[in-house]
Amino acid sequence: MAAGEQQSRDYLLRHRLPELLHRLGALLLYHRPERPREFLIQALERVKAGQRAEGEYPYLMDEANLAAMFSLLDVVGQGHVTPAQYREALKTLGLSTEDLQFGDDVNITLDVFKEEVKKKMLESWVGY
């Protein structure tokens, strides 16, 4: 690999640009705004405002989406999912599975699922 190419890769990784572009692309595909450039600008402004604690970060999934995801995981309708299912849901959303606080014997309810996924979504924006 040429030195310039390696420097470019290092730059992208150091600034987490592939992750940021992936998140912005996911937001675009989810919302499908009429004016995508303005939407991206607003999303980046929300990230900036969130870093200053002056607003909320953009969320890919709202309460209804999280509830739907939970119900897909809880196919039997027990009212809870396992930590392994929760971990897979985080991976599916492209969120970190590091530092999970749940033991394998814990059942995760819908409320806990929504709260924890939102927390992970928030953490994912903080580094930009």
Side-chain angles (χ1 to χ4, degrees), residues 8-61:
S8 296
R9 286 178 191 262
D10 291 345
Y11 175 83
L12 290 171
L13 294 175
R14 183 172 56 250
H15 294 285
R16 298 177 56 204
L17 293 174
E19 294 170 42
L20 176 61
L21 295 173
H22 177 78
R23 291 190 183 286
L24 292 172
L27 283 170
L28 274 174
L29 293 174
Y30 178 75
H31 293 285
R32 298 184 189 271
E34 284 294 317
R35 304 173 82 160
R37 288 178 186 89
E38 288 180 21
F39 178 85
L40 288 172
I41 290 168
Q42 290 171 354
L44 289 170
E45 286 172 347
R46 287 182 69 187
V47 170
K48 208 171 181 180
Q51 289 172 337
R52 293 187 310 255
E54 296 173 359
E56 287 190 1
Y57 289 96
Y59 285 108
L60 179 59
M61 300 190 70

Side-chain angles (χ1 to χ4, degrees), residues 92-107:
T92 300
L93 294 171
L95 299 171
S96 172
T97 58
E98 295 178 22
D99 303 327
L100 293 181
Q101 303 296 321
F102 301 108
D104 289 336
D105 58 340
V106 174
N107 290 320

Side-chain angles (χ1 to χ4, degrees), residues 65-116:
N65 296 129
L66 292 174
M69 179 178 243
F70 183 87
S71 68
L72 289 172
L73 296 171
D74 182 22
V75 292
V76 183
Q78 296 175 320
H80 63 268
V81 297
T82 67
Q85 290 172 306
Y86 171 63
R87 197 172 291 110
E88 287 305 311
L90 291 177
K91 287 180 187 176
T92 300
L93 294 171
L95 299 171
S96 172
T97 58
E98 295 178 22
D99 303 327
L100 293 181
Q101 303 296 321
F102 301 108
D104 289 336
D105 58 340
V106 174
N107 290 320
I108 300 166
T109 64
L110 173 60
D111 289 337
V112 171
F113 180 83
K114 288 195 286 190
E115 180 181 324
E116 293 297 318

